[in-house]
Amino acid sequence: MAHLRSRRRPALTLPLGLALTASLGFLPGAASAAPADSPAATAGSATADAGALAYVVNTRTDHRTLASVKEAIGKAGGNVVASYDRIGVIVVHASNPDFGRQIRAVKGVQSAGATRTSPLVAAGTTDEGAAQVLSKAQAKSLAAQAASGAEPLEADQWDLRAIGADKAAKINPGSRDVTVGVIDTGVDDTHPDLAPNFSASQSANCVGGKADTSPGAWRPYDPAEDYHGTHVAGEIAAARNGIGVAGVAPGVKVAGIKVSDPNDGLFYPENVVCAFVFAADHGVEVTNNSYYVDPWLYNCMDDPDQKAIVDAVDRAQLYAQKKGTLNLASAGNSNDDLDSDALVDDSSPDDATPVHRTIDPHKCFDIPTQLPGVVTVSASGPTGAKSYYSSYGKGVIDIAAPGGDKFQFPDTPSKNGRILSTMPGGQYGFLQGTSMASPHAAGVAALLKSAHPKATPAQLQALLKAEADNPGCPSDPYDGDGDGVVDATCEGGKRVNGFYGFGIVDALDAVKK
């Protein structure tokens, strides 16, 4: 099931990210973790244990420490599911209610905590509102209005034209040597617009914390509900093949790395750790992350469980960066000022009964969005204005991209301000959200990587900022939904501001400069 998600911030520039790490004393040992081996399965399995919780145990990375910690895990009643030795992250199931406290006292353990608040059972995203799936009659009607040389449904893809992606495709549609990994609800690789560009060898199912690469394991569990990843994949790399729609980078490859739980659709930490490591180890150059890691919207560093979640996911995404992967993530649909002094989180934990809490977003982190080096993307609509739902914040948003807005009306056949893309089963549909903005930016990043194949993740970040076009803060008070109430305040200047960061991505500039 597609779940509504809100997103938060990573520091895009590494100096700021490192300063954040140092000032908060946050992510102990993660930055110095050595590159990871392929996940080594040890005793136990990824199947659920009755009455058990899942844990991440984060340790030093030397062989002696890892061996002694694994022995201690067994003595404390834990069952090792997977071990990512070179980043020092061990995924564990344990029924012992005191497991977390006991294992945190073990020598060499730097942090450890439960990754959920309710027991495992046998075997969210940042879209806003329900999907609008095109009927065959609607698709046929729209296709009849296609321009010469365009894809059949491209007339309704205002988003491509907004960032010059239609023109960019004629210059450089992207390289087959570049792959974008969609870490999400799974991708339907049989879709005729995705099959030509799909990379099965770089795809997997990471649910449970251990990669399953068997054929088709990356596909959605329930195509009717888990359509999110397929929509995202189409926005990035739907082929220009005379069928349906086109992606921002129609010449690159796309991979699916499934992380959503089949029972509740949530994105648990161990699944995301597996996904980042798998992407890095399989040569994925860019990942798109349109979700937050459950069960906490914000992970507060004074809570041992939440701290361990931040530590584990950060080690994995830093490993991916070191291996050459640029990670992008959506900024969220709460229309929150993410640089404010306080925010209300009344949705966490989302795997049990949420509690109302007020948090400081500078001390409690949405991940992976707020991790160092991850690119945070806000959403814009057909007019170029900030989408009514998109979160924002000076010094928080890195770049913006089309995410759709039902209150902004494009000059298209349907007049639909949402984003049209692929859906499972060969279908097409409209969605809106920062979930849709991030893949547009990921597609532009893939074009930049195609044009600059030796660029590092840090260099790609700089290029992504440099090609963006910043409209600046609006001159009039911002009223996104037109109800006469000021909904947000943009701070900053023409070069960098809280609504757009460094600006809205420009695919044409990406391939020309």
Side-chain angles (χ1 to χ4, degrees):
M1 178 177 180
H3 296 270
L4 301 183
R5 295 281 185 268
S6 181
R7 305 259 347 115
R8 247 238 41 118
R9 126 130 241 242
L12 178 72
T13 56
L14 290 180
L16 179 58
L18 294 176
L20 176 68
T21 301
S23 67
L24 297 176
F26 134 77
L27 316 180
S32 61
D37 291 320
S38 297
T42 57
S45 70
T47 57
D49 307 302
L53 287 178
Y55 292 82
V56 283
V57 179
N58 306 306
T59 77
R60 296 198 302 264
T61 57
D62 61 281
H63 177 74
R64 180 175 296 179
T65 296
L66 286 162
S68 65
V69 169
K70 289 175 186 177
E71 182 178 356
I73 287 170
K75 290 180 179 179
N79 178 30
V80 174
V81 174
S83 181
Y84 297 86
D85 288 358
R86 289 197 183 178
I87 61 171
V89 177
I90 305 171
V91 179
V92 179
H93 290 173
S95 300
N96 175 8
D98 202 34
F99 177 81
R101 186 191 65 79
Q102 289 181 17
I103 207 66
R104 283 191 287 270
V106 171
K107 183 178 180 181
V109 172
Q110 296 173 316
S111 62
T115 64
R116 57 197 76 192
T117 62
S118 57
L120 293 161
V121 293
T125 59
T126 44
D127 53 320
E128 171 72 21
Q132 296 179 321
V133 180
L134 291 181
S135 67
K136 291 183 179 180
Q138 289 172 321
K140 184 176 180 180
S141 175
L142 293 176
Q145 302 177 63
S148 175
E151 296 297 279
L153 301 180
E154 193 172 348
D156 255 305
Q157 292 190 273
W158 61 266
D159 48 306
L160 295 187
R161 295 183 289 280
I163 61 173
D166 54 335
K167 296 177 180 178
K170 298 176 182 178
I171 300 172
N172 182 356
S175 169
R176 302 293 293 175
D177 294 330
V178 174
T179 301
V180 180
V182 176
I183 301 176
D184 213 296
T185 62
V187 174
D188 179 6
D189 58 302
T190 69
H191 194 292
D193 254 337
L194 298 178
N197 291 337
F198 192 78
S199 176
S201 65
Q202 294 170 294
S203 299
N205 178 354
C206 269
V207 175
K210 181 180 176 183
D212 174 6
T213 58
S214 58
W218 51 79
R219 293 174 188 151
Y221 288 115
D222 182 352
E225 295 286 345
D226 301 326
Y227 49 74
H228 190 269
T230 301
H231 196 278
V232 164
E235 293 172 57
I236 297 167
R240 284 190 171 272
N241 57 356
I243 301 172
V245 297
V248 172
V252 306
K253 293 187 292 185
V254 65
I257 307 176
K258 184 167 63 180
V259 294
S260 60
D261 188 272
N263 298 288
D264 53 22
L266 301 183
F267 291 56
Y268 290 114
E270 60 269 29
N271 305 351
V272 175
V273 167
C274 169
F276 278 126
V277 173
F278 181 87
D281 287 344
H282 289 78
V284 171
E285 285 82 8
V286 179
T287 70
N288 184 80
N289 302 270
S290 292
Y291 59 90
Y292 71 79
V293 171
D294 299 288
W296 304 95
L297 174 55
Y298 295 96
N299 293 268
C300 297
M301 300 304 286
D302 59 357
D303 179 277
D305 292 321
Q306 295 167 45
K307 178 181 179 180
I309 290 170
V310 176
D311 188 1
V313 177
D314 188 58
R315 290 179 185 220
Q317 72 88 19
L318 282 176
Y319 171 62
Q321 288 185 49
K322 291 176 183 178
K323 293 273 282 189
T325 305
L326 177 67
N327 304 311
L328 295 92
S330 53
N333 301 334
S334 303
N335 190 35
D336 282 340
D337 180 353
L338 301 176
D339 192 39
S340 62
D341 293 332
L343 291 173
V344 172
D345 175 15
D346 56 8
S347 66
S348 303
D350 58 10
D351 65 337
T353 302
V355 296
H356 186 99
R357 60 179 186 160
T358 299
I359 60 93
D360 180 348
H362 302 93
K363 297 179 181 179
C364 299
F365 306 103
D366 176 3
I367 57 173
T369 305
Q370 201 175 352
L371 297 176
V374 177
V375 181
T376 307
V377 187
S378 64
S380 58
T383 68
K386 183 187 87 70
S387 300
Y388 73 92
Y389 52 78
S390 181
S391 292
Y392 60 98
K394 184 180 179 182
V396 175
I397 301 302
D398 295 311
I399 53 173
D405 189 318
K406 66 182 181 182
F407 296 113
Q408 299 179 34
F409 303 102
D411 183 17
T412 61
S414 71
K415 303 295 189 290
N416 195 320
R418 298 169 177 84
I419 304 297
L420 179 62
S421 187
T422 48
M423 299 285 277
Q427 293 184 300
Y428 300 88
F430 289 95
L431 281 170
Q432 65 177 10
T434 53
S435 271
M436 286 59 253
S438 184
H440 281 77
V444 174
L447 293 177
L448 287 167
K449 183 66 174 179
S450 299
H452 307 277
K454 295 185 179 180
T456 66
Q459 290 169 334
L460 280 180
Q461 290 181 33
L463 290 168
L464 202 55
K465 290 179 177 180
E467 54 71 32
D469 301 319
N470 203 324
C473 288
S475 56
D476 297 324
Y478 177 81
D479 176 12
D481 55 11
D483 64 357
V485 177
V486 176
D487 297 320
T489 300
C490 180
E491 297 183 357
K494 178 69 175 179
R495 181 171 176 268
V496 188
N497 58 65
F499 276 13
Y500 305 101
F502 281 79
I504 300 172
V505 294
D506 188 322
L508 185 57
D509 278 357
V511 299
K512 289 173 63 177
K513 294 181 178 180

